[in-house]
Amino acid sequence: MDDPAAIGKHPSARGFPSCTAVVDYPGKGYRALFGWVQLVRSTDNSSAGTAFDMDPFYLFEDAPSPYAFFGINPTLFDAPSRLGRDPLDWTAHSYLAWTPMDDTERRVLPLVGFSWGFNVDSGSRITLQPVQALSPGDWDAHLLFLGTSYPGWVFDKWQPEL
């Protein structure tokens, strides 16, 4: 972030990363409804970086939905930062998913995922982690946590394209 104010962040966020992921799907209406599920592992989270936590949009963090963003061709936007520049490892797993509207259960079917993040070293330098595609195994490793965190939802295993 070269200009934190331009994206609604405090000046202390300068130098931290931001991520924007867009969906361009030709379907219309309900056929273009997707959502972003994002989990974060950070050395300053509840597990001190040993496990992933949900990363919901803070305005809706108490809503019983696993989606951080949801809508017609939704855009994922995140700009994590900290007031200080203490050593930190921060990794997100971001998944585009679909929830069938004609199902009797609220079901989450993952479509694609990627990992991104940053590190702050002991000299307060911020470095980006490379963006990497996530595999079905990465999603499946989150299934127990997702199901426990959102018992009103069903989380399907990631089915690779045939």
Side-chain angles (χ1 to χ4, degrees):
M1 288 181 272
D2 294 328
D3 184 4
I7 59 170
K9 295 291 285 190
H10 188 271
S12 65
R14 183 177 304 283
F16 281 91
S18 67
C19 175
T20 303
V22 298
V23 176
D24 183 16
Y25 181 72
K28 303 287 184 208
Y30 295 119
R31 297 203 181 276
L33 282 173
F34 300 99
W36 287 99
V37 175
Q38 182 164 280
L39 301 102
V40 171
R41 182 180 61 216
S42 177
T43 51
D44 67 352
N45 77 357
S46 63
S47 71
T50 61
F52 281 85
D53 286 333
M54 293 305 297
D55 188 28
F57 183 54
Y58 78 95
L59 292 177
F60 307 116
E61 65 189 353
D62 58 344
S65 171
Y67 289 114
F69 299 93
F70 188 86
I72 295 174
N73 289 330
T75 296
L76 167 84
F77 174 77
D78 198 7
S81 63
R82 303 295 187 271
L83 289 176
R85 303 275 171 123
D86 298 324
L88 177 70
D89 296 327
W90 190 99
T91 302
H93 281 184
S94 304
Y95 297 94
L96 179 66
W98 175 60
T99 294
M101 298 296 288
D102 57 354
D103 206 336
T104 58
E105 299 177 297
R106 291 185 292 180
R107 182 175 302 281
V108 177
L109 297 116
L111 301 171
V112 66
F114 66 97
S115 175
W116 66 282
F118 66 97
N119 304 91
V120 182
D121 68 19
S122 60
S124 299
R125 289 178 297 271
I126 300 168
T127 56
L128 299 179
Q129 297 171 10
V131 175
Q132 297 180 326
L134 292 171
S135 71
D138 294 313
W139 169 262
D140 293 351
H142 296 301
L143 290 177
L144 179 61
F145 174 74
L146 289 166
T148 301
S149 299
Y150 298 96
W153 291 77
V154 174
F155 296 89
D156 285 7
K157 286 189 168 205
W158 188 338
Q159 302 297 318
E161 290 184 42
L162 301 176

